Amino acid sequence: MRLATFDGHNDVLSRLLGSPGDPVRRFLQGDGTGHVDMPRAEAGGLAGGCFAVFACDPFRGAPDGFAVDYGEPADAVQARAEALAQVALLLRIERAAAGRLRIARCAADLDGPGVAAVLHLEGAEPIDEGLDALEVLHAAGLRSLGLAWSRPNAFATGVPFGFPGSPDQGDGLTAAGRALVRACGERGILVDLSHLNERGFWDVAGMHAAPLVASHSGAHAVCPSPRNLTDAQLRAIGASGGIAGIPFHVGFLRPDGRDDPDTPLAAIAAHAAHVAEVAGAETVALGSDFDGATMPRELADVAALPAAHAALAAQGFSSAELEGIAHGNWRRVLEATWTA
Ligand code: ZN
């Protein structure tokens, strides 16, 4: 089963910059490492996806990475420099891709041949409170922004990873966070609620007119990670016409939260079924977290996307629902957000 897929989250840009060699060539020719490159994206039927600029975890990859105190904010100057490097990389890939990949700046860019790459900022650390960086990044193609990664910053507080746990940890948006949400609304930039804590989620829900979107979060009722969404949050997302992108990260899928690649793809379908039951099948989407997390063994990289579709079909979703989950629901939400 090979459906055109829009995948709500990958971390290929930070992966490419974190290892040696020309990152543009490695992406376009395929380097066979990690989860995403151009040949494997084409093999898997990837029609589009959110390409994350992730610049608020300066300790990632360090031997003591897991000992970092994520209760402390990241350094904004370092985050801005790292973000600039990742945005520049996607621009260079687009220039060298000869039409195989384009940065999607409007809804029409989501259609047609090649991969439509949505430039997404995962964690607003690179944004200054005067919003100069937001203006520049928007001009460069930024169309999606997550207020916080899993730590606090000047705008909001992200949920930590401790399992099991509630997403209701920490305070809501700061005044700067509210101003940033308003600025995103004015520019048609999608506000991504994944990683945000529950008070921040409800703050955005109360002030933001666009559909509510969590790009890579599952159902808390199935896997009680603080990174997943409660039924109340899912209902609010559904009522707004938004989506939850089911992640493929095993730690957010498994009821026991273990980081175990021997996780059946039925776990993805179980989250999709729960979201559909609570909020409707039009609320279900995909948000793999390729190149940023541990994948199930049967979904080793983006070329294996058809295996995810097969698992959803086995769950009983109709072909129309499957097309929505694979692509149409993301397409609908991006168009509504960008043209509002
Ligand atoms: Zn993430």
Side-chain angles (χ1 to χ4, degrees):
M1 180 173 308
R2 192 171 183 281
L3 291 167
T5 298
F6 188 99
D7 177 21
H9 192 88
N10 75 62
D11 287 303
V12 68
L13 298 175
S14 55
R15 175 178 76 77
L16 289 166
L17 289 177
S19 45
D22 174 2
V24 175
R25 184 184 311 167
R26 280 167 48 221
F27 180 79
L28 291 176
Q29 295 185 353
D31 63 2
T33 66
H35 304 140
V36 180
D37 57 31
M38 197 73 224
R40 284 180 288 171
E42 289 166 342
L46 188 73
C50 294
F51 283 59
V53 168
F54 176 63
C56 48
D57 184 11
F59 299 99
R60 195 158 81 141
D64 59 347
F66 288 103
V68 170
D69 179 4
Y70 288 120
E72 293 295 316
D75 180 73
V77 173
Q78 183 177 350
R80 203 165 302 144
E82 291 188 13
L84 204 59
Q86 292 173 42
V87 173
L89 173 56
L90 190 61
L91 291 165
R92 290 182 182 123
I93 287 173
E94 181 186 41
R95 179 146 23 91
R100 295 164 77 196
L101 178 145
R102 64 200 172 282
I103 298 175
R105 296 177 170 83
C106 64
D109 292 340
L110 295 168
D111 307 322
V115 172
V118 173
L119 185 54
H120 166 71
L121 182 61
E122 182 171 31
E125 278 80 353
I127 306 289
D128 53 291
E129 294 196 17
L131 303 182
D132 292 352
L134 186 75
E135 294 293 5
V136 174
L137 290 174
H138 180 246
L142 185 76
R143 292 296 180 271
S144 172
L145 177 150
L147 297 171
W149 186 67
S150 287
R151 59 194 308 178
N153 62 26
F155 305 99
T157 297
V159 283
F161 292 108
F163 183 94
S166 164
D168 187 13
Q169 303 185 48
D171 295 334
L173 303 191
T174 65
R178 290 176 174 277
L180 180 54
V181 170
R182 277 193 296 273
C184 286
E186 287 161 11
R187 288 159 185 77
I189 297 172
L190 183 148
V191 175
D192 181 8
L193 300 166
S194 283
H195 287 280
L196 188 60
N197 66 357
E198 190 168 357
R199 285 178 217 183
F201 176 100
W202 293 117
D203 284 346
V204 174
M207 66 178 289
H208 195 50
L212 301 175
V213 174
S215 67
H216 58 307
S217 295
H220 195 269
V222 181
C223 165
S225 163
R227 276 280 286 101
N228 285 335
L229 300 155
T230 66
D231 285 356
Q233 289 178 300
L234 290 170
R235 276 191 285 272
I237 290 171
S240 76
I243 45 174
I246 308 299
F248 301 165
H249 172 48
V250 295
F252 300 158
L253 291 174
R254 299 173 61 92
D256 63 9
R258 277 172 39 212
D259 194 36
D260 181 356
D262 282 324
T263 298
L265 300 190
I268 295 170
H271 282 262
H274 185 83
V275 174
E277 184 188 321
V278 170
E282 66 283 358
T283 308
V284 185
L286 300 177
S288 70
D289 217 347
F290 281 137
D291 280 329
T294 306
M295 297 293 120
R297 216 176 284 287
E298 296 168 76
L299 198 40
D301 59 23
V302 65
L305 276 173
H309 301 145
L312 292 165
Q315 180 74 35
F317 286 103
S318 71
S319 58
E321 288 170 338
L322 271 178
E323 279 177 31
I325 294 169
H327 191 274
N329 295 338
W330 261 113
R331 174 77 179 69
R332 178 194 79 232
V333 162
L334 289 172
E335 177 160 16
T337 304
W338 293 350
T339 57

